[in-house]
């Protein structure tokens, strides 16, 4: 299995490989050993769209060739061959909720739970107004589905309507994600990220690319035109092809 504390996973970034960053032993905090895996190593398809980790240490990777489970050495693939209940193998997103349950979103915007080796569609019987989910986020440790009928949060085994709290004076801001500590990131129309803890604005940052991911150590990760950017405090570190980022 893969340690949850010593490895940083690059999820929510489309890339030709799976990239894992492990802090290099005995070096400064901004130095990492970068490892990459491709289809030659067992990835089912060459584009990784999202990565998350379950409490048992497995990494789960969504690709357009299916869902891959990685134990640090080998990949196990779940696709329409192994799981005929999947509408297709083109998976766009993967998220793990606070209970350790795995969720995937297909390219056709069908949201599914992966439970006991089986993909279960979430739709009207589970409380959603439609089978089409535009976006999925994790908030308060729960899965939130953004549908044409509004926001719905997974609670007590079904989806219920959800009103996302907006930060003070945040008109026009778009919610990005929630950090492991519960801080919430928003993006304004000018591309500036705003971090809130409750109603308190704790940080603003010009964002590269379209997203920002805050890891468990408080480091910020962004991806922009083939460059991986890590922000630690006021220091900005960039990693590119010479460092193993492809």
């Amino acid at each position: 299995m893969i340690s949850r504390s010593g490895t940083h996973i690059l999820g929510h970034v489309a890339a030709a490989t799976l990239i894992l960053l492990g802090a290099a032993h005995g070096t400064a905090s901004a130095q990492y050993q970068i490892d990459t895996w491709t289809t030659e190593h067992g990835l089912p398809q060459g584009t990784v769209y999202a990565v998350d980790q379950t409490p048992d240490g497995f990494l789960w990777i969504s690709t357009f060739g299916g869902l891959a489970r990685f134990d640090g050495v080998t990949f196990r693939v779940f696709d329409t061959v192994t799981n005929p209940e999947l509408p297709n193998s083109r998976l766009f997103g993967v998220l793990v909720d606070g209970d350790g349950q795995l969720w995937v979103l297909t390219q056709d915007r069908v949201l599914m739970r992966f439970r006991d080796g089986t993909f279960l569609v979430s739709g009207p019987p589970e409380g959603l107004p439609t089978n089409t989910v535009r976006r999925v986020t994790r908030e308060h440790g729960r899965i939130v589905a953004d549908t044409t009928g509004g926001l719905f949060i997974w609670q007590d085994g079904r989806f219920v309507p959800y009103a996302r709290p907006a930060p003070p004076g945040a008109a026009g801001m778009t919610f990005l994600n929630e950090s492991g500590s519960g801080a919430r990131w928003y993006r304004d129309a000018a591309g500036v990220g705003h971090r809130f803890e409750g109603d308190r604005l704790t940080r603003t940052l010009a964002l590269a690319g379209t997203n920002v991911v805050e890891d468990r150590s408080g480091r910020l990760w962004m991806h922009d035109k083939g460059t991986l950017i890590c922000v630690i405090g006021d220091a900005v570190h960039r990693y590119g092809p010479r460092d193993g980022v492809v």
Side-chain angles (χ1 to χ4, degrees):
M1 304 306 167
I2 297 175
S3 168
R4 294 175 65 88
S5 60
T7 301
H8 299 283
I9 310 163
L10 306 189
H12 314 287
V13 176
T17 58
L18 170 65
I19 303 173
L20 300 183
L21 301 181
H25 180 70
T27 62
S29 60
Q31 301 301 312
Y32 295 92
Q33 173 184 326
I34 300 176
D35 297 315
T36 62
W37 284 264
T38 68
T39 53
E40 295 180 357
H41 303 95
L43 270 176
Q45 201 267 346
T47 301
V48 171
Y49 276 93
V51 183
D52 212 340
Q53 189 171 23
T54 44
D56 56 15
F58 285 115
L59 296 186
W60 296 85
I61 304 108
S62 64
T63 78
F64 272 7
L67 179 69
R69 189 188 73 182
F70 186 52
D71 62 7
V73 179
T74 59
F75 292 91
R76 179 180 177 184
V77 177
F78 302 86
D79 55 19
T80 53
V81 175
T82 62
N83 293 78
E85 72 276 11
L86 265 175
N88 60 69
S89 295
R90 299 174 70 83
L91 304 182
F92 186 74
V94 60
L95 275 178
V96 178
D97 66 21
D99 295 325
Q101 185 168 233
L102 189 72
W103 299 76
V104 298
L105 185 65
T106 72
Q107 185 189 31
D108 298 330
R109 303 301 176 177
V110 175
L111 179 62
M112 310 184 79
R113 285 182 292 152
F114 188 61
R115 184 175 181 179
D116 298 328
T118 301
F119 291 92
L120 306 172
V121 174
S122 291
E126 290 71 37
L128 293 177
T130 174
N131 282 326
T132 302
V133 174
R134 297 182 296 194
R135 184 173 180 236
V136 180
T137 56
R138 181 176 52 229
E139 304 178 37
H140 314 294
R142 300 174 182 172
I143 293 298
V144 175
D146 183 353
T147 76
T148 54
L151 296 175
F152 290 79
I153 191 167
W154 183 255
Q155 180 176 302
D156 298 327
R158 65 181 289 103
F159 282 98
V160 296
Y162 173 62
R164 176 178 289 146
M173 286 194 188
T174 300
F175 175 77
L176 294 177
N177 55 53
E178 185 177 284
S179 74
S181 65
R184 303 167 70 83
W185 280 93
Y186 295 80
R187 179 188 180 95
D188 67 21
V192 176
H194 301 255
R195 182 184 189 274
F196 284 85
E197 294 181 8
D199 293 338
R200 184 168 61 93
L201 177 65
T202 60
R203 185 167 191 181
T204 59
L205 177 74
L207 300 182
T210 59
N211 207 351
V212 57
V213 176
E214 180 179 329
D215 69 21
R216 296 180 180 87
S217 300
R219 300 177 179 89
L220 304 180
W221 298 92
M222 295 172 279
H223 185 265
D224 182 38
K225 299 177 181 178
T227 299
L228 178 65
I229 302 170
C230 177
V231 181
I232 306 174
D234 294 327
V236 178
H237 306 272
R238 298 177 182 272
Y239 303 92
R242 294 181 60 182
D243 305 296
V245 177
V246 295

